[in-house]
Amino acid sequence: MNIAIILAGGTGSRMGADKPKQFIEVDGRSVIERCIDAFEAAPGIDEIAVVMHPQWTALMHKVAEHNTWKKLKKILEGGSERYMSSLNAIAAYIDYPDDTNLLLHDAARPWVSQEVIARTVQALTHHEAVAVGIPSTDTVWEVRQDFDKQLSKFIVRIPERSTMWRAQTPQAFRLPLIRDAYQHALQDPQFHATDDCGVVRNYLPGTKIIIVPGEEQNRKITFKEDLL
């Protein structure tokens, strides 16, 4: 069973809007609707859950009532941090069979294609952890803060560009794997993560995370300019 978890727990503060970016309309459809549409249309997806900030779950229920989605089964409350939203989703499916797969996707990526979803689902038939990404066309710098010189930053390392990839979503895992990774992470007082692959990589380092090709159109909406 393949379950798409759409992580929409953010408040969109960087957008400067009066509501989270997932509810902003683009050509007549809100960002969250476009995201759900993509997974609703995907043959390999059996169920959809949305993780939403508690302040906006009522609005999400209204959006769901005005649509004819068949796969949307759960609207869950998110946490103050992204990883808390992932945790709430994992907890909601904790009793499901071990062969359940969770595809965790950022609601801020509404243009994910059927091809990317299909590649991810296909990879899950052979692997426990699957990431979506694209090669970086830019040189990437690792920088540090110079606290003695007006908080300026300086370059400390320039990784080989051919080894650098830009992370996208969905990030997909067998349920027992992502559950165990978070259980280990929560025992670490220094735990901090920006995505779910990072949790698996740090706390189950023996796990190989397979990358499938993403697409430029699978971009993330962060600022107003991204909606153009």
Side-chain angles (χ1 to χ4, degrees):
M1 189 173 189
N2 297 311
I3 300 170
I5 308 293
I6 299 178
L7 299 171
T11 57
S13 56
R14 283 177 287 185
M15 291 289 292
D18 59 353
K19 56 186 175 183
K21 57 191 171 188
Q22 52 265 34
F23 292 112
I24 295 175
E25 288 194 0
V26 181
D27 289 338
R29 289 292 273 174
S30 67
V31 169
I32 189 67
E33 286 176 305
R34 289 180 177 276
C35 218
I36 296 173
D37 287 345
F39 288 96
E40 177 77 14
I45 299 299
D46 301 295
E47 184 173 323
I48 300 170
V50 174
V51 187
M52 183 67 59
H53 189 283
Q55 180 182 348
W56 299 98
T57 53
L59 179 55
M60 186 64 235
H61 279 285
K62 289 182 179 179
V63 171
E65 290 169 3
H66 286 86
N67 282 276
T68 58
W69 297 310
K70 303 297 184 184
K71 297 179 183 179
L72 179 61
K73 303 298 183 183
K74 290 181 173 62
I75 297 174
L76 308 169
E77 290 191 357
S80 58
E81 301 286 341
R82 185 191 188 280
Y83 79 87
M84 295 179 184
S85 294
S86 295
L87 267 174
N88 289 355
I90 295 165
Y93 290 97
I94 202 70
D95 295 327
Y96 275 55
D98 284 351
D99 60 353
T100 301
N101 297 318
L102 300 185
L103 290 82
L104 297 145
H105 184 71
D106 296 330
R109 296 183 188 272
W111 296 292
V112 60
S113 71
Q114 294 300 303
E115 291 76 15
V116 167
I117 297 172
R119 284 196 288 266
T120 305
V121 169
Q122 176 62 28
L124 283 167
T125 63
H126 302 289
H127 304 285
E128 291 184 296
V130 179
V132 174
I134 56 177
S136 176
T137 57
D138 298 315
T139 297
V140 178
W141 297 337
E142 181 181 342
V143 302
R144 299 278 174 82
Q145 194 91 17
D146 190 340
F147 291 97
D148 297 328
K149 297 182 179 179
Q150 299 180 346
L151 300 180
S152 60
K153 291 183 173 64
F154 60 94
I155 298 171
V156 295
R157 191 170 70 95
I158 304 177
E160 174 59 43
R161 187 174 64 185
S162 64
T163 67
M164 296 292 104
W165 281 54
R166 292 155 51 198
Q168 297 186 341
T169 61
Q171 295 180 358
F173 312 91
R174 300 274 172 84
L175 177 58
L177 179 81
I178 191 66
R179 177 193 62 206
D180 292 350
Y182 268 102
Q183 286 178 345
H184 286 294
L186 292 176
Q187 297 173 18
D188 179 3
Q190 304 299 320
F191 169 55
H192 175 75
T194 57
D195 70 354
D196 302 292
C197 281
V199 176
V200 171
R201 179 70 181 83
N202 290 334
Y203 296 98
L204 295 177
T207 302
K208 184 176 290 186
I209 305 172
I210 300 301
I211 299 176
V212 299
E215 296 170 346
E216 283 290 348
Q217 74 177 46
N218 189 21
R219 66 181 65 86
K220 186 176 182 181
I221 298 172
T222 304
F223 304 104
K224 287 181 179 179
E225 294 76 12
D226 298 326
L227 292 170
L228 298 176

